[in-house]
Amino acid sequence: MASASSLAASVSPATSSDTVTRAELSEIDASTKAPAMYFLCSAILWLIIGTAFALISSFKMHKPELLGDIEWLTFGRARTAHLNAVIYGWSVNASFAVAMWLMARLARSVVRHSGILMLAGAFWNVGVTVGMYGILAGDATSIEWLEMPPYATPMLFIAYALIGAWAVITFRFGKSEHIYVSQWYILAALFWFPWLYSVAQIMLIFSPARGTVQALVNWWFAHNVLGLWFTPIGLAAVYYFLPKVLGKPIHSYYLSVLGFWSLAIFYNWAGVHHLIGGPVPAWVITAGIAASFMMVVPVVVTAINHHLTMIGSFQALKYSPTLRFIVFGAVNYTLSSLLGSLMADRGVSEVVHFTHAVVGHAHHGLYAFFSMVMFGSIYYILPRILHKEWPSARLISVHFWTCAIGITIYVIVTSIGGTKQGLEMNDASIPFMDVVRHTIVWLKLRSYAGVLITVGHVAFAINFAWMIFKPRADNTAPTLFAHPNPDLEISAR
């Protein structure tokens, strides 16, 4: 059967190359529709579930009697459920959807064997559901970021193997003559994650290492899941959507190369800095600190590349929902990474370790950077696979501002409150219970920030469901925050 692009070219010899390209992209987008919608619907369902557990656990920190009689909603289970729902439910499903769509588009290949993706999605979400049930039932492990009970993880392995096999097939049969920057990050992430997850599962769950090695492996895994899985997927999206929406190429190919390889070389050592002061060989800690500071190289290089791409186009932020989320996420990638390097300093770590500042830093990276980039990506992708526009620009605006303001407040109050908490804990003259009482005001502000973020997630979910069920209209003008200046070139959304 002839492809859409071939038909477009054969209808008229005068058919422009732009028309042929659009037909080809439309055909690729159509082939991604079923698996992308499956992963996106799953992601948003887990986002809402994870947000509910986040609010419960946050309010429990300053109001411990809240839902105190319900065993499965005690703080230890609710907070762990929140972490796993947003990491393995929301973030990974969103990663799969965005990475799959980008890989198909950049490889200029229709999705082959979409059944593999659907099967992988089923295994993954059943595995996460079983894992969540185990956590709430009290079967959670005590290992941070690997709390799901061992009987849930084999399904996640199977799912990931299927995703990886599909990505290799798509890349192998792609028609593109180039390997784009976004593809480097996606392919690397798809290889790095199973390496991290399998090593951590074997050395911590199935055949646990002894003593200090457990802590080393735990932080090697937990830190690298953010740096070698979510970060590459997020940066792949930024490198694609930033120039795509602006209608111009990324500023420098060579800066992209430097940013990618320096991330690959330095990041996998950086997690050890979380064990400063622990019973770990000094050279290991020193290597982790050195790698954390060397991370300034890829972060600054990437920030310069993104900023120089935006030069002359900042006014597009007034109109494009995708661009606004993507730029917010990219800026926070820079800020959270530089703060991460600062927190690797021994003197700083002595103060902020074991405080709420570390929690704020984790949210800075996973939410302010990664999740905001995923939101922006979804605002771009969904209209192309459904051939409909977002029904409400107002709901998109509510989503952006509540989440942007909410996470900004969250990071600021946990950073300030956590630093004060650390300074007081290091002062032997201050009783520990006084330190706890002094943190309550910061914890309340953190909960209020969480309420703002929840409002944004509800607005996003409503807009998403509305878009799915609304009939397709003839008017296909993109949903923007305002009508742009006719002289301004914005490719869409």
Side-chain angles (χ1 to χ4, degrees), residues 36-305:
M37 288 305 297
Y38 181 85
F39 285 120
L40 289 178
C41 289
S42 302
I44 292 168
L45 179 62
W46 284 117
L47 178 68
I48 297 301
I49 293 171
T51 304
F53 281 116
L55 270 187
I56 292 169
S57 55
S58 182
F59 273 90
K60 275 176 172 288
M61 294 194 77
H62 51 84
K63 197 175 177 58
E65 70 277 10
L66 176 70
L67 303 172
D69 297 332
I70 303 174
E71 185 178 1
W72 60 278
L73 287 180
T74 50
F75 177 79
R77 300 187 190 185
R79 182 176 183 276
T80 307
H82 154 62
L83 287 173
N84 283 269
V86 297
I87 294 169
Y88 298 104
W90 149 250
S91 299
V92 174
N93 273 299
S95 297
F96 285 157
V98 172
M100 179 207 66
W101 187 85
L102 287 177
M103 181 59 80
R105 270 220 166 189
L106 292 171
R108 294 180 62 192
S109 171
V110 295
V111 171
R112 292 176 168 83
H113 313 298
S114 60
I116 294 178
L117 292 170
M118 300 297 285
L119 188 61
F123 270 109
W124 186 269
N125 285 289
V126 170
V128 175
T129 303
V130 171
M132 287 286 288
Y133 173 81
I135 289 168
L136 295 173
D139 286 346
T141 73
S142 59
I143 302 169
E144 195 165 1
W145 288 62
L146 288 172
E147 292 93 345
M148 287 191 192
Y151 50 76
T153 51
M155 285 178 276
L156 304 184
F157 269 122
I158 296 171
Y160 202 88
L162 293 171
I163 295 280
W166 172 87
V168 171
I169 292 171
T170 301
F171 183 72
R172 167 68 180 78
F173 290 99
K175 292 185 290 186
S176 174
E177 297 175 356
H178 306 283
I179 301 177
Y180 294 94
V181 179
S182 298
Q183 286 174 294
W184 308 342
Y185 282 104
I186 292 171
L187 287 171
L190 288 170
F191 280 103
W192 283 332
F193 185 77
W195 168 52
L196 297 168
Y197 197 68
S198 58
V199 170
Q201 285 287 330
I202 292 169
M203 294 190 68
L204 296 175
I205 305 292
F206 295 110
S207 181
R210 296 182 180 178
T212 301
V213 177
Q214 283 195 8
L216 284 170
V217 175
N218 190 183
W219 274 111
W220 170 81
F221 169 76
H223 206 256
N224 283 335
V225 165
L226 184 60
L228 297 181
W229 167 242
F230 293 124
T231 295
I233 298 293
L235 288 179
V238 175
Y239 269 112
Y240 180 83
F241 292 111
L242 198 62
K244 191 72 175 177
V245 174
L246 295 177
K248 60 184 182 182
I250 202 75
H251 173 72
S252 169
Y253 173 84
Y254 297 104
L255 287 179
S256 307
V257 174
L258 179 58
F260 173 82
W261 284 109
S262 50
L263 173 81
I265 292 169
F266 298 129
Y267 200 98
N268 69 93
W269 278 89
V272 184
H273 74 244
H274 283 276
L275 297 174
I276 292 173
V280 179
W283 71 268
V284 176
I285 296 294
T286 302
I289 294 171
S292 299
F293 279 99
M294 289 305 293
M295 275 300 299
V296 171
V297 174
V299 170
V300 171
V301 162
T302 304
I304 290 172
N305 213 7

Side-chain angles (χ1 to χ4, degrees), residues 314-436:
F314 284 103
Q315 68 272 31
L317 292 169
K318 297 177 184 176
Y319 314 109
S320 169
T322 292
L323 194 64
R324 196 177 287 183
F325 278 95
I326 293 287
V327 169
F328 184 91
V331 169
N332 280 285
Y333 167 69
T334 307
L335 296 176
S336 65
S337 300
L338 294 178
L339 282 173
S341 295
L342 178 64
M343 291 169 77
D345 177 81
R346 290 181 192 273
V348 176
S349 181
E350 283 178 7
V351 174
V352 300
H353 198 40
F354 298 126
T355 72
H356 297 292
V358 177
V359 178
H361 175 59
H363 283 73
H364 201 182
L366 191 59
Y367 192 91
F369 158 50
F370 176 79
S371 290
M372 293 297 271
V373 168
M374 290 298 103
F375 291 140
S377 305
I378 294 169
Y379 280 120
Y380 188 94
I381 293 171
L382 210 57
R384 283 161 175 77
I385 60 177
L386 292 181
H387 298 292
K388 303 176 190 175
E389 282 305 316
W390 288 94
S392 172
R394 187 180 297 275
L395 283 175
I396 300 175
S397 184
V398 169
H399 179 202
F400 176 79
W401 287 112
T402 51
C403 290
I405 294 172
I407 192 60
T408 302
I409 293 173
Y410 188 105
V411 172
I412 290 172
V413 300
T414 50
S415 298
I416 297 174
T419 303
K420 288 173 66 71
Q421 180 190 14
L423 290 170
E424 290 185 354
M425 285 198 297
N426 287 345
D427 186 344
S429 66
I430 302 176
F432 180 72
M433 286 309 298
D434 284 353
V435 178
V436 174

Side-chain angles (χ1 to χ4, degrees), residues 7-22:
L7 288 173
S10 64
V11 168
S12 169
T15 302
S16 68
S17 60
D18 184 57
T19 302
V20 173
T21 301
R22 286 179 182 276

